[in-house]
Amino acid sequence: MISKEQILENIIPKHVAIIMDGNGRWAKKKGNSRIFGHKNGVKAVRDAVEAAAELGVSYLTLYAFSTENWNRPKAEVQALMALLVQAIHNEVDNLNKNNIKLLVIGDTASLPNDVNSNLNLAMEKTAKNTGLKLVLALSYSSRWEVIKAVKSIASDIKTNKITPNDIDESLFQQYLETSNMPDPELLIRTSGELRLSNFLLYQMAYSELYFTEKLWPDFRKEDFYNAIYDFQHRERRFGKISEQLNNDN
Ligand code: FPP
């Protein structure tokens, strides 16, 4: 296990994204219901947020509910939504105390009203905070996001706001849910699954991927440190060769 002291302060990723996976399996192992797993996942969320804030990460994006998660049994979806409302409500003071700003990406229009009103209130209350930006991906999927962006671009071309020639990476970025956010430099996925599951696919073109067998409810600060330490010891070449990187410095 890596301790906080082993982390190099000058190579902290600006943006870390997490696929919090394994709540259901964690609960099943304990002979409990899936929602018991989700409830225990909230503690892991707190640990990851605290660790990210302490290390000086600028953005932490959590995949809390995917577009595809709507296909889960109705009772589980309802319980997850209730848990979100409760967690957001309970954590606002803590977010403020730690100077953390809450943001949301995803198809929020599809969320129940009470989730939206709680989210909006929490975002308002934390809007002036200047520390970590905690981004919840809710009713989010990459394909939904990219198609939405393409539709908006088409509509802006039709109304002569832009021309096809204006389309480049920087313009396209402005149409994504993550406009103005740096791309994630590190993705963490728990529970041993080796997939991206429709999460930030465009933004993760050059992200380092870190997979751990830990199930999400067991994820602690030290696990976050492990991922950051691992990231710090990788060579990120962005298509170049090692020797070029050394010359760049
Ligand atoms: C994946 O585990 C987890 C989710 C779909 C939900 C994550 C939600 C929380 C941790 C609750 C609260 C979140 C916040 C941001 C306060 P899974 O159900 O897919 O597990 P399995 O793969 O073992 O079935």
Side-chain angles (χ1 to χ4, degrees), residues 229-244:
Y229 184 86
D230 194 276
F231 168 84
Q232 295 186 328
H233 292 83
R234 293 190 190 184
E235 184 181 68
R236 307 189 72 210
R237 290 194 293 278
F238 302 99
K240 295 183 181 179
I241 65 168
S242 286
E243 289 73 12
Q244 288 176 298

Side-chain angles (χ1 to χ4, degrees), residues 20-26 34 38 41-42 45 62-64 69 72 76 80 83-84 87 136 216:
M20 312 179 286
D21 198 10
N23 293 349
R25 276 162 284 166
W26 184 89
R34 297 179 52 83
H38 297 315
V42 176
V45 170
L62 303 178
Y63 205 6
N69 285 154
R72 291 195 173 192
E76 182 172 343
L80 264 170
L83 192 60
L84 267 168
L136 296 185
W216 181 249

Side-chain angles (χ1 to χ4, degrees), residues 114-155:
D114 61 333
V115 176
N116 266 322
S117 53
N118 267 278
L119 272 174
N120 290 337
L121 190 65
M123 285 194 283
E124 239 171 68
K125 283 186 174 172
T126 61
K128 292 201 172 75
N129 293 341
T130 54
L132 173 71
K133 280 149 197 88
L134 171 61
V135 186
L136 296 185
L138 289 171
S139 194
Y140 172 87
S141 75
S142 261
R143 289 183 177 180
W144 165 83
E145 176 187 41
V146 169
I147 286 168
K148 184 172 87 106
V150 170
K151 278 186 181 162
S152 303
I153 290 174
S155 152

Side-chain angles (χ1 to χ4, degrees), residues 212-224:
T212 166
E213 292 289 325
K214 276 267 174 97
L215 301 175
W216 181 249
D218 288 330
F219 192 88
R220 290 294 165 270
K221 277 186 177 182
E222 291 68 29
D223 297 297
F224 193 85

